[in-house]
């Protein structure tokens, strides 16, 4: 798609150049920033379709920047892919919890980066506006108004927690949710819960999806997501 814009926030000039080269070759219009502060200045002038965000930046780091993006109404919905040299689970989880849509660990291939960018942009345009009541993905249909779920056209009875979890996954297929994000979505924030109770809930949900249980994928050390068909 022509004219989609990407903001690259990366302090290492050669990596920034490399990403820029690849994104331009894919037909994107590119803005660059070498710090979160520079990125904020760019955002005052233009709103990109997606942000590629390095975590380790001088000054404000990528976590804090992502949090501030999500907190401001104007930038809250811009998809963010974290690009980081760190590949520890804890960093990935922390990034997802401040609102990143996806992550890539360096070094990465240009082809994979392009595929991830396109997937995130596609997901954004495929997402229904909030308030859409019936959502269908593959064999699954979820009806928010009536709290009803069908698998292959057949009604399936879910607990309220299972329903909310499935709703979260179906609205953002492919996005990885940490256990804490799942708990927040299901019970509201500050609900005391263990990782284990989320795992148990997922087991129950998968069982009810029957032949389609593998639509809910485990992302080791991070959380869960709905497989993209
Ligand atoms: Ca860096």
């Amino acid at each position: 798609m022509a004219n989609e814009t990407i903001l690259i926030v990366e302090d290492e000039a050669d990596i920034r150049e490399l990403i820029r080269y690849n994104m331009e070759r894919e037909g994107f219009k590119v803005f660059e920033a070498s710090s979160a502060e520079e990125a904020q200045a760019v955002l005052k002038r233009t709103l990109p379709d997606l942000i590629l965000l390095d975590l380790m930046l001088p000054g404000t780091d990528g976590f804090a920047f992502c949090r501030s993006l999500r907190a401001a109404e104007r930038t809250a919905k811009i998809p963010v892919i974290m690009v980081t040299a760190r590949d520890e689970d804890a960093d990935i989880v922390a990034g997802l919890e401040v609102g990143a849509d996806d992550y890539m660990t360096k070094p990465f291939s240009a082809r994979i980066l392009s595929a991830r960018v396109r997937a995130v942009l596609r997901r954004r345009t495929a997402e229904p506006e909030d308030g859409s009541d019936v959502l269908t993905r593959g064999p699954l249909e979820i009806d928010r108004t009536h709290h009803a779920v069908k698998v292959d056209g057949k009604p399936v009875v879910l607990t309220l927690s299972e329903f909310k979890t499935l709703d979260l996954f179906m609205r953002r297929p492919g996005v990885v949710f940490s256990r804490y994000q799942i708990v927040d979505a299901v019970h509201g924030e500050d609900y005391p819960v263990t990782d284990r109770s989320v795992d148990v809930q997922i087991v129950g949900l998968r069982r009810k999806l029957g032949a389609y249980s593998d639509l809910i994928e485990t992302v080791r050390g991070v959380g869960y997501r709905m497989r993209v068909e």
Side-chain angles (χ1 to χ4, degrees):
M1 241 173 287
N3 299 325
E4 279 181 304
T5 55
I6 295 190
L7 170 59
I8 303 167
V9 189
E10 165 68 67
D11 60 316
E12 284 167 72
D14 48 348
I15 295 177
R16 203 169 60 235
E17 275 306 304
L18 182 68
I19 297 175
R20 176 183 193 117
Y21 172 79
N22 284 294
M23 292 294 100
E24 285 182 342
R25 202 179 50 179
E26 293 281 320
F28 294 106
K29 181 169 163 52
V30 172
F31 297 96
E32 289 180 34
S34 61
S35 66
E37 290 75 10
E38 261 186 55
Q40 288 289 13
V42 172
L43 290 172
K44 286 206 174 86
R45 303 196 307 269
T46 184
L47 283 183
D49 291 299
L50 183 139
I51 297 176
L52 288 169
L53 176 62
D54 182 29
L55 276 188
M56 296 296 284
L57 294 166
T60 306
D61 70 13
F63 294 112
F65 179 59
C66 191
R67 206 179 289 119
S68 72
L69 288 173
R70 291 298 176 248
E73 197 183 340
R74 192 168 164 267
T75 56
K77 295 229 164 102
I78 303 175
V80 172
I81 300 180
M82 296 187 306
V83 182
T84 172
R86 303 198 276 175
D87 61 353
E88 289 170 27
D89 293 344
D91 293 324
I92 294 168
V93 171
L96 294 171
E97 280 176 352
V98 294
D101 293 84
D102 203 349
Y103 63 89
M104 300 223 41
T105 51
K106 299 177 204 168
F108 47 79
S109 82
R111 206 163 53 87
I112 289 175
L113 178 66
S114 302
R116 292 283 183 91
V117 165
R118 295 210 176 278
V120 169
L121 287 172
R122 233 183 359 255
R123 218 146 65 201
R124 183 201 53 170
T125 49
E127 261 176 51
E129 290 298 309
D130 277 356
S132 161
D133 289 316
V134 179
L135 181 61
T136 306
R137 296 213 190 274
L140 307 182
E141 182 190 297
I142 191 163
D143 179 342
R144 266 186 159 180
T145 309
H146 302 98
H147 267 248
V149 172
K150 288 181 183 168
V151 180
D152 256 353
K154 296 192 192 78
V156 172
V157 179
L158 301 185
T159 65
L160 184 57
S161 297
E162 289 165 351
F163 181 88
K164 286 182 173 175
T165 305
L166 184 63
D167 186 48
L168 179 72
F169 289 149
M170 282 182 69
R171 275 169 201 281
R172 308 191 75 190
V175 175
V176 186
F177 293 97
S178 73
R179 290 176 176 80
Y180 282 103
Q181 286 175 310
I182 294 170
V183 170
D184 282 354
V186 171
H187 299 289
E189 290 183 26
D190 303 327
Y191 184 89
V193 77
T194 61
D195 285 2
R196 181 73 189 135
S197 66
V198 174
D199 295 341
V200 168
Q201 189 178 294
I202 296 286
V203 168
L205 183 55
R206 279 184 176 144
R207 192 183 306 129
K208 290 178 185 179
L209 297 184
Y212 302 103
S213 61
D214 62 347
L215 283 174
I216 297 175
E217 294 181 324
T218 303
V219 182
R220 197 182 293 266
V222 181
Y224 297 97
R225 71 175 161 204
M226 173 149 284
R227 202 179 73 208
V228 180
E229 292 291 285

